Amino acid sequence: MPTTPRTHHRHCSRRVRRAACLLVVVLCAGLAAAHGAGAETTHVVAVASLDQVLTNIRNWIMGMLALVATVFLTIGGVRYLLANGDPGEVEKAKSAFR
C-alpha cells in the first residue's frame, strides 16, 4: 500500500511523540535515581490545631460553593442567550440564576 503524504505525516508524528515520551521517562528515571542516591530519610509529623482544621474545612466548602455558583450562573447565562425570546426558555434560564 503506497503511503500518502498524510499517512507519512501521521507516522512521523507518532514517532516523534514516542521519542518524546521515551525521553521524558528516561529523564524522570535519571532524576529519581540521582535524587534517591544521596537522600536522607526524614520523618515529618504534621500537627495542626483544631482551629486550623476547621478553618481549612470552611475554606474548602466555600470554594466548592463558589465553584457551583459559577457553574449555575454560566448555565443560566448560556440558556438565556440561547432562549431567543422563547418565554418558556427564558423562565428556565431565570430559574437557573435563582
Side-chain angles (χ1 to χ4, degrees), residues 13-51:
S13 65
R14 285 181 189 159
R15 278 190 236 136
V16 169
R17 278 185 276 172
R18 286 181 186 150
C21 288
L22 181 63
L23 179 64
V24 167
V25 168
V26 169
L27 286 176
C28 288
L31 286 174
H35 186 309
E40 296 178 6
T41 303
T42 57
H43 298 283
V44 178
V45 178
V47 178
S49 67
L50 181 62
D51 186 42

Side-chain angles (χ1 to χ4, degrees), residues 53-78:
V53 171
L54 293 176
T55 300
N56 289 342
I57 291 171
R58 185 196 69 217
N59 289 341
W60 186 82
I61 291 172
M62 293 302 290
M64 289 297 113
L65 289 174
L67 177 69
V68 169
T70 303
V71 168
F72 277 108
L73 285 173
T74 304
I75 290 171
V78 169

